[in-house]
Amino acid sequence: MSIQPKWGTGFNLGIMGNLRLSKFVDLRMIPSISFAEKRLEFNQPNLPNDITQKSIESIYLHLPLQLKFKSDRLHNFRFYGLTGVKFDYDMAANANSRKKDEFLKFKPIDFGYELGFGLEFYYPNFIVSPEIKLSEGMVNQIFIDRSLPLTNAIDQIRTRSIVFTIHLEG
């Protein structure tokens, strides 16, 4: 049996709280709701040419705490880098599900870290900040249920995201 993870899409909506620690360092919290998809592609040993794709929808309550390191402002532009930690709770996790059609079960809790960078563009009434961030979970998400055949074939599943965000600040 071979099992391969595949790219999934998602959408995130949140609100930002920012505490200015110094001229160049901010502490920010961005609680949000994230809609994501976990996709797996696998085949059975008795049917090597029959490839099956399964996806699992996740709804995360996402609570990151980040440090934002800003450069000097040059006219209406600024560069920044960020690092932080995150706590995620998957409200659609199926670890306690009793459905017979489940092929994998996932734990709801995840902790991890985030690294990224972005740009701030200043306009007269607002700031636009495009940002790219790598978010990696540190907790094995798979819930061990020996009655499911795929659970025996997978050692661990962790969340990993590349997130493109556009912040609008007023």
Side-chain angles (χ1 to χ4, degrees):
M1 173 180 279
S2 72
I3 302 170
Q4 296 293 322
K6 295 296 179 184
W7 285 97
T9 58
F11 179 78
N12 194 356
L13 184 62
I15 188 164
M16 181 188 309
N18 194 66
L19 175 63
R20 185 174 178 184
L21 300 177
S22 73
K23 183 178 178 184
F24 298 109
V25 180
D26 289 352
L27 178 67
R28 53 184 210 176
M29 176 102 177
I30 310 171
S32 57
I33 297 285
S34 180
F35 301 91
E37 176 184 40
K38 297 177 183 106
R39 291 181 46 214
L40 293 173
E41 183 179 274
F42 60 93
N43 64 357
Q44 301 292 335
N46 53 352
L47 301 170
N49 295 328
D50 186 23
I51 295 175
T52 304
Q53 283 195 7
K54 295 275 189 171
S55 67
I56 297 157
E57 301 293 326
S58 294
I59 304 170
Y60 288 105
L61 176 59
H62 183 65
L63 301 169
L65 186 62
Q66 302 169 344
L67 282 174
K68 178 179 172 183
F69 302 98
K70 306 180 286 188
S71 70
D72 255 339
R73 185 172 162 178
L74 181 64
H75 302 290
N76 292 328
F77 169 80
R78 174 182 285 172
F79 176 81
Y80 66 89
L82 60 93
T83 183
V85 294
K86 68 172 187 155
F87 169 79
D88 288 337
Y89 182 79
D90 188 353
M91 295 183 284
N94 60 354
N96 296 324
S97 174
R98 295 179 187 202
K99 293 181 182 176
K100 299 295 181 196
D101 62 345
E102 302 284 357
F103 69 99
L104 275 178
K105 291 185 178 184
F106 293 94
K107 297 175 189 173
I109 304 285
D110 192 18
F111 296 97
Y113 65 89
E114 299 181 322
L115 297 169
F117 65 91
L119 306 169
E120 289 182 343
F121 296 99
Y122 291 83
Y123 293 96
N125 297 322
F126 61 96
I127 303 168
V128 175
S129 303
E131 173 182 292
I132 294 179
K133 178 174 53 177
L134 171 67
S135 178
E136 177 122 13
M138 303 302 288
V139 176
N140 184 6
Q141 289 299 120
I142 195 162
F143 180 79
I144 305 299
D145 184 350
R146 297 293 177 202
S147 67
L148 301 174
L150 283 183
T151 302
N152 299 324
I154 298 174
D155 182 33
Q156 61 183 332
I157 293 178
R158 295 186 188 185
T159 57
R160 183 179 296 154
S161 305
I162 298 172
V163 182
F164 175 72
T165 307
I166 298 175
H167 297 285
L168 300 173
E169 302 173 43

